[in-house]
Amino acid sequence: MKKLFACILAALAALSLTATAFAEGGEAAVTLSVAGADGLELDGSALLHPGEEYRFPIMLKENGEEARPMTVEDMESYDIKVTAKSGGSVMAEAGRLESGRQQYLSVTPGGYFGVSSQSVQYTVSLHKKGGSSVLSECSVRWKVGYPAMDDGKLGASTEIDPAAPVLTREQLAAIQKITGDKQASFVGSGWQYDVRLLDQAAVNFHTSAANIKAISDKYPDADFRFLTFGGKPAFDFSGRLTLDVSEMLEEHDDIYLYRYLDGVLYSLGYQLDEENGTLSIQTKQLGSYAVSNVKIPNGTVVGGSVPGSSSGSNAGSDKENPVTGGADLTGIALALGLVSLTGAAAVVKCRRK
């Protein structure tokens, strides 16, 4: 019994010594942090807009000294890994970026057009060059989305603010109170949507005139104008969407309108107002549209996706050293495994005595 008790004590001592070795194995005590930038702090309060790149300085504190920006020289001794913990699917990219001599955390939200913001959390960890154990790590948090419009801009005809394209249920109820049974008008760059409101849920009127590559690549000789409502706002009543096509009418005798949905082009009939240079359709939901001088068969499959959509495939990756986060878990598992094996060896040695 005494021998067994002695063996257990030896195993515990081995575990303690091994853990201490891991804690003191680094050549210097280092602390990693990410600083704020442009008035934004990554403490969960920052609202980052889809499609925009943001850069936050990566800071390093060694041996109790003041934190300083990490430089290219530091990367000769350290590696940085950026790992998504939650909300990574709404990110187009997040990782370390080297600009000049300084190191930054670069984050770019993808095409998220919800009516409420999406919370995102990542872990930024510091490793010794070529190693897997974590020397220091910090958690960074932010939100992705768009803010609601200013209440002062609401009216029977509401001009959509591109920087704040969300209209809440309460704001739409306020507009409904103004319009009554009549239609409300929402106006953007090159478009207008008139629709009756009745207990309407929140909507995101974000729009983009960006090229839809899958379509233009399939028809390289055609002239296209695109308009995409990223949030696909839907309404209970059918409304009238009016598009400004004056430029197209000046250049072409005939123009055609298509709805782009799930990689397929659907031909749409429309009402043309040549005097005002507009065309209009009736619809309950706004989506992606293409106006062209080329007639394309209804139901033509072109593939591709709406510009700005987020696949999340690069979420959580280091821009220069891609990682998936698996290496972090592997390093921890290996460390724990080594500690366990050390303790086990001590037990075996005692038993052999």
Side-chain angles (χ1 to χ4, degrees), residues 159 186-193 207 209 226-227 229 241-246 277-279 291:
E159 186 172 348
F186 302 97
V187 182
S189 178
W191 63 271
Q192 179 173 319
Y193 186 61
T207 59
F226 299 105
L227 180 66
F229 291 84
L241 173 63
T242 302
L243 305 180
D244 181 358
V245 292
S246 55
T278 63
L279 61 77
V291 180

Side-chain angles (χ1 to χ4, degrees), residues 22-41:
F22 274 103
E24 299 177 353
E27 296 179 358
V30 294
T31 303
L32 181 76
S33 61
V34 179
D38 299 325
L40 301 174
E41 297 290 339

Side-chain angles (χ1 to χ4, degrees), residues 8 10 21 46 49 62 65 72 112 118 128 148 170 173 218 243 251 281 290-291 300 319 353:
I8 294 174
H49 293 183
E62 296 178 303
E65 298 177 353
V72 63
Y112 173 75
Q118 173 70 50
K128 195 163 184 64
E170 292 75 18
K218 190 175 181 68
L243 305 180
E251 298 177 4
I281 60 171
V291 180
T300 296
K319 284 191 171 185
K353 287 182 179 180

Side-chain angles (χ1 to χ4, degrees), residues 122-143:
Y122 274 71
T123 295
V124 183
S125 57
L126 183 72
H127 305 253
K128 195 163 184 64
K129 195 73 173 180
S132 58
S133 59
V134 178
L135 300 177
S136 178
E137 67 177 21
C138 64
S139 178
V140 289
R141 296 176 294 118
W142 60 86
K143 298 174 183 177

